[in-house]
Amino acid sequence: MYREEEDCWKLSQVFGERCPGEELQDVDIVTAIEFDKSGDYLAVGDRGGRIIIFETKNGKDTPNPQFFRNELEQMDYTSTKHPEYQYKTEFQSHEPEFDYLKSLEIEEKVNRIRWCSTPNESMFILSTNDKTIKLWKVKDRKVKKVKEMNPSPYVSSENTLLAERSFMSGQETPSFSNGNQLEWTEKVAKNMSPSQEVQTKIANNGDAVHARCRKVYGHAHDFNINSISNNSDGETFISADDLRINLWNLEISDQCFNIVDMKPSNMDDLTEVITSAEFHPVHCNLLAYSSSRGFVRLIDMRQSALCDHSIRILQDAESNVSKTFFTEIIASISDIKFASNGWHLLSRDYMNLKLWDMRMNSTPVTTFKIHEHLRPKLCDLYNNDSIFDKFGCCVSGNGLDFATGSYSNLLRIFSHGVGNAEGITIEASKIRNSCCSEVSKVFFKQSDSWVLQTRAGKFKVRLQ
């Protein structure tokens, strides 16, 4: 969806639309989605363990880095036509597994997708299910296609005749395992020269996309993986589960370092779990992780090998003024995102979206209320377990716009310092309905203000 005026949004694209009467298959439900850094490519994961990649129809929007500054300035204009995405390729990322030691079935659902930096034209993607992380390389390749052509005029009839006689003077049975001799003999019997056959096989080339698994990072988490995040150094990444955060090198798949361990010696003393983890976008030594108690901890990996002490803890002191039975439940943070400048961090709990300044740890800069009308109904939400639903959040490339999901297919968009505190509310469906489905994941394109939202097996692209 794209915006023509101040608060007027138009639907741009819908992927995964079902035909009338077609039932939704569980394997087709979208579970992970991610733009690459340029916004030219979009990766989507589903419950069936597949990853589908889309690309912009008119080629890459990102200018070639080899352009000079004056050329870039001349190209700097606002396009009246919004870009559209088209299908590029898909591949099977994960398969169902079974842990025989724990008698545990591991489903193929893709939980997280992250794009890796690359020095060439290949694309590298990190994907994970509950236990195993994989690094995929996706590359465009040239594929030979068969096309009939005329015989080469540069081969004389005498040479052709000698070649035919020399070739047919061998054994009648094929002398090669692939039967090349038999195939050529049959062609010669049909008055076709060997030189013409060679031209037929290499006449034309086509393009195809090939995906190959480069690395498999497994057997490092006892609990389900909830987050993966790339480091700004382009060499390492982290993976987090409920109690531990591990540091990996992209080139080493059989070894990782445990940098955060919240598992107590006695599990009865467990008071909080890790809900999300994210690397700092600028400083490769810093990362933040959120907890079920509503804390966001910032750690520095230079301090010690095991980062059990935080250099800063972000906690909203005002949220604990009036405590109720549901206070700790709704305070649990489900997702965090750094702004591109690294100074601001966005966190999402059940009721609010909060913007933090890393230099202020006592209170958030702004608190956006998502569905305050549900506060009187917390008891009912607790009884049907809806109070434990998790929602994602995202920050635009300029760090000024924020988006998150809510119930009834609603998408909430806010701007820092612009507009009112209510923001913009958009229904994420072409046909209005009263069902209580949720928009659980929203993503901004990095280079400008695209908003992407997912729900119930389909996803939409919206442009601001």
Side-chain angles (χ1 to χ4, degrees), residues 56-121:
T56 52
K57 283 187 177 180
N58 299 327
K60 296 183 178 180
D61 292 339
T62 306
N64 192 317
Q66 297 179 353
F67 284 126
F68 293 102
R69 181 180 179 88
N70 56 354
E71 294 177 349
L72 292 175
E73 291 177 351
Q74 294 176 4
M75 296 172 59
D76 187 14
Y77 66 96
T78 302
S79 176
T80 57
K81 183 180 179 181
H82 61 276
E84 296 183 1
Y85 287 82
Q86 63 182 0
Y87 173 86
K88 183 177 180 65
T89 187
E90 68 178 88
F91 56 91
Q92 189 71 29
S93 175
H94 288 78
E95 300 282 354
E97 303 175 24
F98 189 82
D99 189 341
Y100 293 95
L101 294 178
K102 299 181 179 180
S103 297
L104 179 66
E105 185 177 352
I106 304 172
E107 60 180 346
E108 65 273 26
K109 179 186 70 172
V110 178
N111 290 337
R112 290 290 185 271
I113 297 175
R114 289 293 181 268
W115 291 86
C116 302
S117 58
T118 173
N120 50 35
E121 295 182 355

Side-chain angles (χ1 to χ4, degrees), residues 395-408:
V395 187
S396 64
N398 58 13
L400 299 178
D401 300 309
F402 323 104
T404 188
S406 180
Y407 291 106
S408 301

Side-chain angles (χ1 to χ4, degrees), residues 118-402:
T118 173
N120 50 35
E121 295 182 355
S122 300
M123 297 177 289
F124 291 88
I125 298 176
L126 277 174
S127 63
T128 181
N129 61 358
D130 289 338
K131 298 294 183 181
T132 306
I133 308 169
K134 294 184 179 182
L135 175 65
W136 291 90
K137 179 181 179 181
V138 183
K139 184 178 181 180
D140 293 331
R141 285 188 174 182
K142 297 291 183 180
V143 178
K144 295 181 180 180
K145 295 182 179 180
V146 176
K147 183 178 180 181
E148 296 294 334
M149 294 183 65
N150 295 326
S152 174
Y154 301 103
V155 180
S156 63
S157 58
E158 293 82 359
N159 292 339
T160 303
L161 183 59
L162 291 175
E164 292 174 0
R165 290 179 177 177
S166 175
F167 186 79
M168 296 184 67
S169 62
Q171 299 179 359
E172 294 182 359
T173 57
S175 59
F176 301 100
S177 59
N178 58 3
N180 285 339
Q181 182 174 344
L182 178 61
E183 180 184 358
W184 279 61
T185 306
E186 292 174 352
K187 295 296 183 181
V188 170
K190 297 179 181 179
N191 297 325
M192 183 177 290
S193 68
S195 59
Q196 182 180 351
E197 174 65 15
V198 174
Q199 291 176 5
T200 303
K201 289 187 175 181
I202 62 175
N204 192 20
N205 289 335
D207 294 331
V209 183
H210 177 70
R212 181 168 65 93
C213 183
R214 288 288 305 275
K215 299 287 183 181
V216 178
Y217 315 89
H219 310 293
H221 288 277
D222 294 330
F223 303 92
N224 291 345
I225 299 173
N226 56 44
S227 301
I228 54 175
S229 178
N230 294 324
N231 200 346
S232 59
D233 61 8
E235 298 180 357
T236 57
F237 71 94
I238 57 172
S239 59
D241 60 22
D242 291 342
L243 297 178
R244 292 187 175 96
I245 299 178
N246 294 331
L247 177 67
W248 300 83
N249 189 297
L250 286 170
E251 298 298 327
I252 304 174
S253 59
D254 58 352
Q255 185 182 26
C256 65
F257 298 95
N258 179 228
I259 56 176
V260 175
D261 191 349
M262 298 181 62
K263 185 177 181 179
S265 56
N266 185 1
M267 289 297 289
D268 294 335
D269 299 331
L270 182 65
T271 58
E272 62 179 330
V273 296
I274 299 171
T275 56
S276 182
E278 190 86 6
F279 257 122
H280 194 277
V282 180
H283 302 291
C284 61
N285 57 293
L286 299 178
L287 64 93
Y289 67 94
S290 59
S291 75
S292 57
R293 294 180 59 189
F295 298 153
V296 178
R297 292 179 170 86
L298 183 68
I299 60 176
D300 190 341
M301 294 189 296
R302 297 174 300 182
Q303 286 189 337
S304 61
L306 185 63
C307 304
D308 49 359
H309 295 288
S310 306
I311 61 174
R312 184 151 298 180
I313 300 178
L314 306 180
Q315 181 184 12
D316 190 359
E318 297 180 358
S319 62
N320 295 326
V321 174
S322 57
K323 287 188 175 183
T324 64
F325 173 77
F326 306 106
T327 300
E328 292 186 359
I329 300 177
I330 63 177
S332 176
I333 298 176
S334 58
D335 193 20
I336 58 172
K337 289 290 187 300
F338 273 105
S340 58
N341 58 11
W343 288 111
H344 293 91
L345 182 140
L346 195 68
S347 67
R348 172 68 205 266
D349 56 39
Y350 186 73
M351 299 295 293
N352 304 308
L353 184 69
K354 298 179 181 180
L355 178 65
W356 298 86
D357 191 322
M358 302 305 295
R359 296 157 290 189
M360 288 174 47
N361 57 359
S362 59
T363 181
V365 177
T366 309
T367 300
F368 305 102
K369 299 184 182 300
I370 307 303
H371 34 231
E372 193 67 19
H373 61 281
L374 295 179
R375 192 173 292 274
K377 304 178 181 180
L378 291 179
C379 184
D380 297 332
L381 294 172
Y382 177 79
N383 291 331
N384 60 20
D385 291 337
S386 296
I387 199 171
F388 301 104
D389 290 340
K390 298 181 182 300
F391 298 89
C393 62
C394 62
V395 187
S396 64
N398 58 13
L400 299 178
D401 300 309
F402 323 104

